[in-house]
Amino acid sequence: MAEAGQRLGQLLMRAGIITDKQLNDALEVYRATGSPLGRVLVDLGYATQGAILSVMAKQIGIEYIDFADRRPEPAAIAAVPKELAQRYTLMPVSITDGTLLVAMADPQNVLALDDLRIITNYDIKPAISTKDDIISTIEEYYKLAEHREDNDFIGTEDVGDNLLAELTDVTSEAPAVKLVNYIIQKAVADRASDIHIEPQESDLRVRFRVDGVLLEVMRSPKSTQQAMISRFKIMADMDIADSRRPQDGHCAVTVGQHNLDFRVSTLPTVYGERVVLRILRKDSILLQLTDLGFSKVSLDRFQASFTKPYGAILVTGPTGSGKSTTLYAAINVLNDPGRHILTAEDPVEYRLPGVNQCQINHKAGLTFGKALRSFLRCSPDVILVGEIRDQETAQIAIESALTGHLVLSTLHTNDSSSAVTRLIEMGVEPFLVSSSVDCILAQRLARKLCPDCKQEWRPKQEVLIEAGFTADNLPEVVYRANGCKKCGNTGYRGRVGVHEVLLMSEEISRLCVEEATAEDIKRIAIEQGMLTLRQDGLGKVRSGLTSIEEVMRVIV
C-alpha cells in the first residue's frame, strides 16, 4: 500500500500537479491515518479528484472523461437505462463503430461491464471519471432526455425527426429488450395473471398463468437467459449484480390501452434466477359484486352483512382465490364521502380513490397489529385488514368490530366454518368471536367454459351423484370443455367465483362459545340456508358456466 501511494505521488509530481513539499506533507498524513493518498491530497487541497484520475487513467491506459469539456451523445444515453447508470455509477458518452464509450467511477467493475454488454448489445470501452461528476451528469442529461421524450409525445418540435429515429433505433436494437416486450405483450393478450421465467438445464421456459392454471408458451435458448433476467430486474429497479438472494420489486407498464402494474419477484435456483411477474390490472378494482359470479342467495346474504355499521366480515380461501378483489368490490359499495375508510395491506396492490391506504412495512416495524392500533386513534368507520396472520392482529380486529367499526379482512382456511375454529386456535376468546363476527365468506375461482366451443354432455346418473347432485334433482344436460383458438385450446375462458356465505346466527354463536367443531357449525349453517362451495359450484355447472371437472379441481 505504501509503495502504491509513493508511486501515485511521483506520477502526480511528474505531471506538475503537486510539488515535492506537498507530496511529503501528504505522505505524513497518509502514514499517520492510513487514508488513501489520493483522498489525503484532495482533503489538503493540493489536487482535485479529476486531476488525480486523469493521471491514473494515463497510467492504466484508459481515457479520462471531463464532463465540463465533453457532452454525452443522446444516442449513447438512450442505449443505457437510467437505473443501470445510477446503480453502477456510470455515464454513457458516445457510440462509435459498434462500441459504446462509458465513463465509470470504477472501470474495473467486471459485473457492470458484462451487464452493459448484455443490455446494450454493444462492445464496451470503459473510461474513468469522478463519482460526483458522473452522478451530476446522470441527473442533468437523463432528465433532459426524459423532457425531450415528453415533448415528442405531445407533438412539439424540440427534437428533430432524425434524432428521434436515431433514439428509437438504438433503444430497440437489443434482442433482450425485444424479447421481454414480446413476452409482456403476449401475456396481456392472453389474459395472463402471472408470467413465469424459469431457467432449465438446457434452455429457458416461459409460462403464463391463465385463469389460474399455468400454461407453457415458449422455450428460449439458454444464451438469452442472463440478458432476459437482467432486463426484467432493471425494469423492476432490482440489483442486477446480486443473483444469490431473492429480490422483490415493481414497475408500471403501458401495453396498448392497458395501464398495468407488475409485482416482480426473483428466486435463485440451481439453473439460475427464476423471475415471476404478477400482473395487476387496475380495472379489476372497478368490478362490482354482481360481476363476481355470486348466486342471488349468496349475494343477498353477503350484502346484508357488510352494509351493517359494525361487525367483522371475513373472506377465506387459498392464495389466488380472489379474496382481495371481493373486498375491493365491497369497499367500492361502501366508499362514499360520509365514511372514513382505512386499509392496512401488504402490499398495496391497487390504489382506491377516496380510501386511505397504509402499506405494511415489517422492516420498519409497521405490522398489521401496529397499523390497526393506530387506525383506532383516527376515528375510522370502515377498516380493511389485508390478512389476519397472528394473534395480535386477530385480537385487535375482533375488538375493533366490537367497538362500533366495520372490519373486513381475509383468513386462510378451506371453508367458512373452519374460520371460526381458526380464530379460536389463534388465541381469540370464543365469546369475542361469537359476538363480533357477523359473516364469513369462503370462495374459490373456477374457470368458465368457453362459450364458443363448450360441448353438451349427458353423463350417467352415477357420475352426477358422485359429483354431488341429489338423485331427485339431476340436470338433464351439463357442459364440458372442448377447445378452440379463442380459448387457446383449453376449453375455458375467464373465471367465475364460487361462494359459501356463513351468517353468524344465535345458534352458531352458541356453538362458538361451546368451541364446537367446524363440522357441527357447518351442519347448522346449511340447515339455516347456507349453500356450500360444492353446492354453489354445481349450481354453476347446472347453468352451463363451468364443468364438473373444474368444480372438482378447485373444491376439495
Side-chain angles (χ1 to χ4, degrees):
M1 289 292 291
E3 288 182 13
Q6 289 274 10
R7 222 169 24 244
L8 174 61
Q10 294 297 327
L11 289 171
L12 293 172
M13 277 183 57
R14 282 198 290 269
I17 295 173
I18 61 173
T19 65
D20 183 63
K21 183 180 183 307
Q22 288 174 332
L23 174 58
N24 290 330
D25 291 345
L27 284 173
E28 286 182 11
V29 177
Y30 164 68
R31 294 187 187 101
T33 64
S35 297
L37 182 63
R39 172 67 62 187
V40 172
L41 289 166
V42 171
D43 290 343
L44 293 173
Y46 294 162
T48 64
Q49 190 176 11
I52 295 172
L53 283 180
S54 66
V55 171
M56 293 176 62
K58 287 179 184 178
Q59 184 67 17
I60 62 177
I62 66 173
E63 184 178 356
Y64 169 72
I65 303 293
D66 185 353
F67 287 108
D69 301 327
R70 186 160 183 180
R71 294 170 58 87
E73 296 176 0
I77 297 171
V80 179
K82 181 179 180 181
E83 294 80 5
L84 188 67
Q86 290 175 322
R87 181 170 290 120
Y88 288 125
T89 316
L90 57 86
M91 183 67 202
V93 179
S94 63
I95 299 173
T96 306
D97 297 329
T99 299
L100 176 65
L101 176 65
V102 181
M104 306 175 67
D106 179 11
Q108 295 180 324
N109 187 333
V110 178
L111 286 175
L113 294 172
D114 286 344
D115 288 333
L116 275 171
R117 196 174 293 111
I118 291 167
I119 297 301
T120 65
N121 207 31
Y122 286 111
D123 292 329
I124 306 301
K125 181 181 178 182
I128 194 168
S129 187
T130 67
K131 181 178 179 179
D132 291 341
D133 277 358
I134 291 174
I135 291 173
S136 61
T137 306
I138 288 172
E139 290 303 314
E140 178 183 355
Y141 283 87
Y142 275 95
K143 189 174 292 184
L144 178 62
E146 291 166 359
H147 175 67
R148 284 175 171 170
E149 288 172 4
D150 290 342
N151 286 340
D152 287 341
F153 180 79
I154 61 176
T156 65
E157 298 178 357
D158 287 352
V159 180
D161 293 338
N162 291 338
L163 179 56
L164 179 59
E166 181 184 3
L167 291 175
T168 304
D169 289 344
V170 170
T171 55
S172 62
E173 278 177 5
V177 175
K178 289 182 178 180
L179 187 53
V180 166
N181 289 344
Y182 167 77
I183 290 172
I184 290 175
Q185 290 168 359
K186 181 170 175 57
V188 173
D190 290 354
R191 302 174 295 102
S193 60
D194 303 89
I195 301 172
H196 293 250
I197 312 296
E198 303 169 321
Q200 305 295 301
E201 184 175 6
S202 57
D203 58 10
L204 190 68
R205 180 172 67 174
V206 179
R207 294 194 291 174
F208 295 163
R209 187 178 295 279
V210 181
D211 296 331
V213 177
L214 281 171
L215 304 172
E216 184 175 315
V217 294
M218 64 180 286
R219 294 260 179 170
S220 184
K222 192 74 173 176
S223 58
T224 65
Q225 176 175 315
Q226 189 57 49
M228 280 181 58
I229 291 172
S230 294
R231 176 60 183 166
F232 280 119
K233 291 173 74 174
I234 287 169
M235 289 171 59
D237 197 27
M238 294 179 179
D239 185 355
I240 62 175
D242 188 351
S243 59
R244 295 178 296 179
R245 293 182 303 171
Q247 295 187 62
D248 293 297
H250 70 276
C251 60
V253 177
T254 300
V255 180
Q257 301 298 316
H258 302 279
N259 294 321
L260 306 171
D261 286 330
F262 288 78
R263 266 174 52 196
V264 186
S265 301
T266 66
L267 179 69
T269 70
V270 292
Y271 296 124
E273 284 184 283
R274 184 179 188 273
V275 181
V276 177
L277 293 89
R278 174 92 181 272
I279 304 176
L280 306 175
R281 300 172 186 268
K282 296 179 180 179
D283 52 0
S284 67
I285 65 169
L286 302 175
L287 291 175
Q288 303 299 313
L289 286 169
T290 51
D291 300 326
L292 303 182
F294 277 94
S295 66
K296 187 178 186 310
V297 172
S298 296
L299 181 59
D300 289 346
R301 288 165 66 91
F302 184 52
Q303 280 187 316
S305 183
F306 75 78
T307 51
K308 293 179 180 178
Y310 58 87
I313 314 294
L314 302 177
V315 181
T316 75
T319 300
S321 60
K323 300 186 296 295
S324 296
T325 301
T326 298
L327 288 179
Y328 281 139
I331 289 293
N332 283 335
V333 175
L334 298 171
N335 190 10
D336 63 54
R339 286 191 178 94
H340 181 199
I341 303 175
L342 287 170
T343 77
E345 304 172 61
D346 184 22
V348 176
E349 294 183 346
Y350 301 103
R351 272 58 173 176
L352 299 170
V355 176
N356 300 287
Q357 296 173 271
C358 175
Q359 169 74 55
I360 296 303
N361 188 336
H362 293 283
K363 290 183 179 179
L366 181 58
T367 62
F368 281 112
K370 288 186 178 179
L372 275 175
R373 290 187 190 279
S374 298
F375 284 2
L376 297 179
R377 294 191 290 269
C378 299
S379 184
D381 298 305
V382 181
I383 297 173
L384 187 151
V385 185
E387 183 182 348
I388 293 178
R389 300 177 180 173
D390 51 47
Q391 180 183 4
E392 181 189 20
T393 308
Q395 192 76 34
I396 301 170
I398 293 301
E399 290 174 358
S400 301
L402 283 172
T403 54
H405 303 90
L406 180 64
V407 179
L408 296 88
S409 189
T410 68
L411 199 63
H412 283 285
T413 59
N414 287 329
D415 57 17
S416 56
S417 56
S418 299
V420 174
T421 56
R422 174 71 179 132
L423 287 172
I424 295 172
E425 288 169 359
M426 292 174 77
V428 181
E429 292 293 339
F431 72 91
L432 290 177
V433 175
S434 67
S435 54
S436 63
V437 175
D438 191 72
C439 170
I440 304 171
L441 166 68
Q443 72 175 57
R444 301 289 189 277
L445 289 177
R447 292 181 294 172
K448 290 196 292 187
L449 287 165
C450 174
D452 295 298
C453 66
K454 65 181 182 181
Q455 287 182 328
E456 283 192 2
W457 182 36
R458 298 179 184 273
K460 294 181 180 180
Q461 182 175 340
E462 296 80 15
V463 174
L464 295 172
I465 292 175
E466 185 179 351
F469 288 103
T470 56
D472 59 347
N473 190 24
L474 297 176
E476 292 186 8
V477 62
V478 294
Y479 292 84
R480 60 182 175 184
N482 183 23
C484 64
K485 289 184 178 179
K486 290 186 177 180
C487 61
N489 291 315
T490 62
Y492 298 94
R493 197 163 80 223
R495 288 192 287 180
V496 63
V498 179
H499 305 96
E500 175 181 290
V501 184
L502 184 153
L503 298 180
M504 191 65 70
S505 64
E506 288 186 14
E507 192 169 357
I508 293 177
S509 293
R510 188 163 55 252
L511 290 174
C512 289
V513 174
E514 295 170 358
E515 298 188 39
T517 65
E519 285 300 318
D520 290 337
I521 294 172
K522 183 176 184 177
R523 176 175 50 79
I524 297 302
I526 293 172
E527 291 176 2
Q528 295 177 350
M530 181 185 81
L531 290 177
T532 66
L533 284 168
R534 179 168 294 220
Q535 289 172 334
D536 193 52
L538 292 178
K540 291 173 172 63
V541 171
R542 187 186 295 272
S543 63
L545 277 175
T546 189
S547 65
I548 291 176
E549 293 81 4
E550 184 63 10
V551 170
M552 297 300 104
R553 183 183 73 84
V554 300
I555 299 169
V556 178

